[in-house]
Amino acid sequence: RKVAQLIRKQRVDYVTFTSSSTAKHFFGACPNGHLLHARVISIGPETSKTIRALGGSVNRQARVPTIAGLVEAILEEA
């Protein structure tokens, strides 16, 4: 609930997902999360697949499925 309240009040530029589980929890808490005007960064192919299955889109996927790879993807997107 806190996430849903926060994204209604604050502008969100990026949403990052580190696993399929985080994507499932995010879209469970924010069913309309796919309508955010935020860039979505995924840690890897399985996570990207889950995000898409949940109705979201992926703007960039980390080349290497690590936190460092995720940070690199964010910096490339920025």
Side-chain angles (χ1 to χ4, degrees):
R1 289 194 237 217
K2 289 183 182 183
V3 171
Q5 291 172 344
L6 179 65
I7 63 175
R8 279 189 220 119
K9 295 178 183 177
Q10 300 288 324
R11 177 180 167 182
V12 177
D13 295 318
Y14 296 93
V15 177
T16 61
F17 294 101
T18 56
S19 67
S20 291
S21 176
T22 59
K24 290 174 186 174
H25 288 289
F26 175 81
F27 286 105
C30 306
N32 292 328
H34 65 283
L35 298 176
L36 282 176
H37 296 287
R39 309 294 288 172
V40 175
I41 314 293
S42 167
I43 200 165
E46 285 302 313
T47 304
S48 295
K49 181 179 173 182
T50 300
I51 293 165
R52 290 182 183 107
L54 294 167
S57 61
V58 177
N59 297 100
R60 188 171 297 269
Q61 178 179 292
R63 290 186 187 126
V64 179
T66 62
I67 296 300
L70 186 67
V71 171
E72 184 178 315
I74 295 166
L75 294 173
E76 289 172 356
E77 190 65 24

